Structure formats: structure tokens, C-alpha cells
Amino acid sequence: MSTLVVVGAQWGDEGKGKVTDYLSARADMVVRYQGGNNAGHTVVVGDQEYRMRLIPSGIFHRKACVIGNGVVLDPAVLVQELDYLTERGVSTEHLRVSGAAHLILPYHIRLDELEEDRRGALRLGTTRRGIGPAYADKSARIGIRVSEYLDGSIFAEKLRRNLEEKNRALSVLHGAPGFDFDAVFDEYQAYAWRIRPLVADTSLLINQAIDRGENVLFEGAQGTLLDLDHGTYPYVTSSHPVAGGACIGAGVGPTRIDRVLGTVKAYTTRVGDGPFPSELTGREGEWIRERGREYGTVTGRPRRCGWLDTVIIRYAARVSGLTHLALTRLDTLAGLDRVRICVAYRRGGEHITDFPQELTCLEACEPIYVDLPGWPAFGEADSLADLPREARVYLDEIAERCRLPIALVSLGRERGQTLAITDVFAPSPTCGNRAVRI
Ligand code: IMP
């Protein structure tokens, strides 16, 4: 009887898919509130591995799943994902899509690619899935919402108008061919019949579920440092992965959120460009990348790897109001003689404990570490007491440095390899402002 937002507390890829899949067993509804198919997570159910991009992980538990208004939706990808799940016997009948979500269309993808190429050395390292251009159109108020897409005549009118402008941009700015209206219209009309039955006023559905006292889980994509406002701008995505994004992107008020769980990998990774103070560019970084199979789910790009950085996690706690941490990939670090935790930065003679807002300042920051003993590989663990002592010391150090309790520890890819320490869905003493059960 609680609402919980799960956010990434680093640069994305923290293992939110596994965490939300695990917690979905206790949820009644799982909601995605931002991003699009730039996200990618792998969920392991028994001997099956599923690679998902759009549909919330709750689908594997047959829970009500929502793609909220804050998501940008590529209809082609949604239909592919529906087919992918159906072919594997996973029911998608409980999925609902907001009519207010905006579409990603082929010109967004083409422009994302061309703009990235044109930036050369100043590229952002986007996933080239059209995310930035789609959100830009939303802000410029020329985007096309799902509900408009489903009305053939509105879709035709808006698509025709947009293609005129986009084709001009493609030709004049990039010397690239434009898109043919009929070809795009016909292809996207063919997806519409699959999507139509799923479309609803999802803000209403979510608020009704909260009114009924159900457990609602908001599943963030990407991570805090990729947030458009609070991340390492301009090396960010175009949406709001922070917890506040759940209110806007799902249509719920902030007073309805009970807890915020920050998902943290036991080390740090980043795809794309931009500063990364605790990055390991040598053999230790490679060791972590190979051990952790740190390659992007969406693009296959190798992820940059580094030590855990608690300056970043404390910052995520500040901008998202984290109440708990979920720590993933503790198993990946097993076997190292020594592990390091970045606890502050040094910049010239300055000692920095708060994550700097300016990119130029961050670029000049050097990490200050505390060193802790590593731990050996371990087998099954049913409680914290089953972990090697050094691994427990590492967890305690993180909790203390971040001033947050660790509610959940993930020790491997499978559902069972999870230690739940705190019940994050337990009724909250602060939810007195809840509407009465109706
Ligand atoms: P975009 O979201 O494709 O526009 O990419 C903007 C930045 O966000 C790039 O640095 C991407 O690598 C990064 N990014 C987007 N989605 C993810 C994700 O799911 N995990 C990690 N990084 C991401």
C-alpha cells in the first residue's frame, strides 16, 4: 500500500530492470514515466533472458503496466516488443499506453544520427534512437501525441506539415534525402491497429490505483546524471529520470509518492561522452567491463567503467529525495584484492564534497578515494550474514557515506540472487494525505 519510484542514481545502466522486476512481484501496477527505447534492460526469468526497451518489467509478473505520458514512443519498436513478448508466451493484455505520450517518427531518428555525425568531436554519444529530436518537437509544440496518431486525419495533417519542415532541414542542413509522406503514413498506420486497444488516460488509471491503496511502482529509465536539468549537461538525455520526473511523466502529484529507491551499481559506468571523475581507463577498468559484461543493451557500445562514486550518489539523493538504496552487481567486484570508493573530489587545492553543477569544474575534479579490502567469490546467499565480511564492510561504508539505508542487494542476474533487507512497500507513516479507499 505504497508508491515507490525507482530511479538510477548514476549514469544509467544501474540494473533498474532487475530491481523493478524483483519488486514488481509486490506491485499492483508498474509505470514507466520518461525516456523511450534509448533505455534497455535485461530481465532473466528462469532460463529465459529478455531484452526490453519500452515495456515495463512488471509485464513478466502479469501486473498492470503503463507507458506514461512522459515517454516518447516509437510505434515500430512498441509493436516489435509486443510481438517479441507474445512469441515467448508473455501476455501483454495488461499494458496501457498514455494517449498523451509523444511519437518518435523516422525523421527524428534520421535527424538524431545526422546531428550526432555533424557534431564530430563534440558529439553527445546519443543512442541515435530519435529521443532528443522527439522531445525537442514536444517542447516546440509540433510533436504528435499518441491520441492524435490514432485519428488518421489528424495524423495525416500533422505528419504532412512536419515532413515539409523536416525534409527541408534534412536537405538544407544535411544534404540528406527527405521522407515520402505516403510511405511514412502507410507504415505507421499499419502499427496503429496494434496500439489502439492499449491507449488510455493513464494518469487517471494510476491515480485510481493509488486511491484503491494499491502498490504502484514508477520505473525510471536512464539515471540522475543523464537528467536534462540535473545531469552533466549537455551530455544528458532529453527527459527527466529524477524522481520528480515521475510526477510529470505519469500525471501524479508529488504528495502521492511515498518512497524513492536509488539504484546504484557497486561501481560506476557510463556510456556516451562527458566527464567521469572515477573512471578507470587501464586494466582495472577493462577487468570490470569484462567481468560485468558492460556493453550497452541498446547499442552494444562498451561502457566506460570506474570505482563507485559516493559524491554522485549523495547528489542523486539530494535531487530525487532518495529514501533507500538498491545496490546491484556486488558479485561483479568479487575477486579483487582491493576496492576503492570515491568519497570527495580534489580540484586544485579545493576539497569538494558536493557534486559540482558546472561541467568545467567536474572536468577538473580528481577523485579522493578510501580503500577497502576486496572479497572472494561467494556462492548462494540468503541474508547479509552469508556474504564475505569484506563485502558487508563495503556495503556499510556506502550506506554511511551516502547516509541512506540499503534496502536491497543484487548478487547476480537471476531473480533469486537478490537480498531484500527492507520492505520498501511497507505502509508509510507519511501517507496520511491519501484519499480514502473508494
Ligand atoms: P539519448 O537519450 O539517445 O539522446 O542519449 C543521450 C545520452 O544519454 C547519451 O550519453 C547516451 O549514451 C545516454 N543514454 C541514453 N539512454 C541510456 C541508458 O539507458 N543507459 C545509459 N545511458 C543512456
Side-chain angles (χ1 to χ4, degrees):
M1 280 168 290
S2 278
T3 53
L4 173 75
V5 185
V6 175
V7 297
Q10 295 158 315
W11 269 292
D13 307 317
E14 297 91 350
K16 293 177 297 295
K18 150 104 195 239
V19 169
T20 46
D21 172 64
Y22 181 83
L23 294 173
S24 293
R26 294 279 316 284
D28 300 292
M29 181 179 270
V30 184
V31 182
R32 256 202 75 180
Y33 60 85
Q34 44 72 227
N37 57 305
N38 49 348
H41 48 252
T42 307
V43 176
V44 179
V45 185
D47 58 0
Q48 292 287 312
E49 180 177 295
Y50 298 90
R51 290 178 169 233
M52 304 294 292
R53 290 176 287 173
L54 263 177
I55 299 177
S57 314
I59 207 80
F60 299 107
H61 290 277
R62 297 183 60 82
K63 298 300 171 75
C65 284
V66 170
I67 295 180
N69 55 279
V71 170
V72 280
L73 185 94
D74 184 331
V77 174
L78 179 60
V79 167
Q80 263 172 28
E81 210 156 273
L82 289 169
D83 288 343
Y84 170 82
L85 290 172
T86 308
E87 279 161 19
R88 283 162 183 77
V90 179
S91 166
T92 55
E93 66 176 308
H94 302 297
L95 177 69
R96 293 292 172 270
V97 174
S98 169
H102 277 248
L103 294 194
I104 298 177
L105 288 161
Y107 48 83
H108 295 125
I109 301 169
R110 178 82 57 83
L111 284 166
D112 196 2
E113 290 165 347
L114 292 168
E115 283 164 9
E116 265 298 87
D117 291 342
R118 215 156 66 119
R119 287 183 198 113
L122 296 176
R123 70 186 185 277
L124 304 175
T126 77
T127 58
R128 296 171 175 253
R129 298 298 190 267
I131 306 296
Y135 277 118
D137 279 4
K138 176 176 172 176
S139 295
R141 289 156 293 180
I142 56 165
I144 303 179
R145 287 175 153 200
V146 167
S147 55
E148 296 169 327
Y149 164 54
L150 297 180
D151 179 320
S153 59
I154 301 180
F155 180 49
E157 185 194 320
K158 290 200 151 197
L159 180 67
R160 200 181 292 282
R161 191 192 60 197
N162 284 358
L163 275 182
E164 261 174 45
E165 189 186 305
K166 302 297 176 185
N167 282 348
R168 205 175 315 123
L170 284 165
S171 152
V172 174
L173 297 178
H174 302 283
F179 288 91
D180 174 60
F181 169 83
D182 289 326
V184 177
F185 184 79
D186 291 348
E187 180 187 346
Y188 282 76
Q189 280 297 91
Y191 304 131
W193 72 270
R194 294 287 305 280
I195 298 175
R196 182 169 284 110
L198 309 177
V199 175
D201 178 346
T202 53
S203 162
L204 184 63
L205 297 182
I206 299 163
N207 279 280
Q208 286 171 337
I210 299 173
D211 288 341
R212 287 193 298 271
E214 294 181 2
N215 286 341
V216 179
L217 193 164
F218 298 89
E219 173 180 350
Q222 289 86 42
T224 303
L225 293 184
L226 292 173
D227 185 276
L228 183 60
D229 278 62
H230 301 289
T232 45
Y233 190 90
Y235 300 101
V236 292
T237 191
S238 301
S239 68
H240 293 292
V242 298
C247 296
I248 307 284
V252 298
T255 50
R256 312 214 88 185
I257 306 292
D258 295 321
R259 296 195 183 90
V260 183
L261 180 69
T263 310
V264 172
K265 214 181 258 192
Y267 43 94
T268 310
T269 61
R270 168 163 208 184
V271 281
D273 297 272
F276 178 174
S278 67
E279 182 169 16
L280 292 165
T281 49
R283 282 174 50 192
E284 276 172 315
E286 267 169 43
W287 187 90
I288 294 176
R289 180 159 44 250
E290 292 315 312
R291 274 287 296 243
R293 291 197 258 167
E294 293 293 355
Y295 293 89
T297 315
V298 176
T299 59
R301 289 181 291 178
R303 295 179 183 142
R304 300 156 66 194
C305 297
W307 296 117
L308 186 84
D309 184 338
T310 54
V311 182
I312 292 175
I313 302 166
R314 288 196 303 270
Y315 175 66
R318 164 154 59 96
V319 295
S320 277
L322 301 185
T323 58
H324 299 81
L325 294 179
L327 193 116
T328 64
R329 301 291 197 125
L330 190 65
D331 53 309
T332 301
L333 293 186
L336 289 168
D337 291 338
R338 174 213 62 177
V339 288
R340 311 190 93 177
I341 297 179
C342 170
V343 294
Y345 302 144
R346 188 180 300 109
R347 181 173 169 258
E350 208 184 340
H351 182 88
I352 297 174
T353 50
D354 290 312
F355 192 75
Q357 202 165 37
E358 298 309 320
L359 204 64
T360 46
C361 176
L362 186 65
E363 273 161 357
C365 283
E366 287 170 36
I368 299 174
Y369 290 116
V370 292
D371 289 355
L372 296 172
W375 51 91
F378 50 87
E380 303 242 317
D382 295 325
S383 73
L384 285 178
D386 297 331
L387 296 179
R389 192 182 60 81
E390 297 84 354
R392 281 184 276 134
V393 169
Y394 187 67
L395 294 177
D396 287 345
E397 185 78 26
I398 295 167
E400 201 167 303
R401 297 260 175 203
C402 301
R403 296 176 223 113
L404 282 170
I406 297 180
L408 193 143
V409 183
S410 169
L411 306 171
R413 287 153 53 81
E414 286 170 31
R415 276 180 182 164
Q417 295 173 300
T418 313
L419 298 180
I421 299 157
T422 309
D423 178 6
V424 282
F425 281 121
S428 163
T430 60
C431 44
N433 53 2
R434 275 293 165 70
V436 287
R437 187 180 272 266
I438 50 173

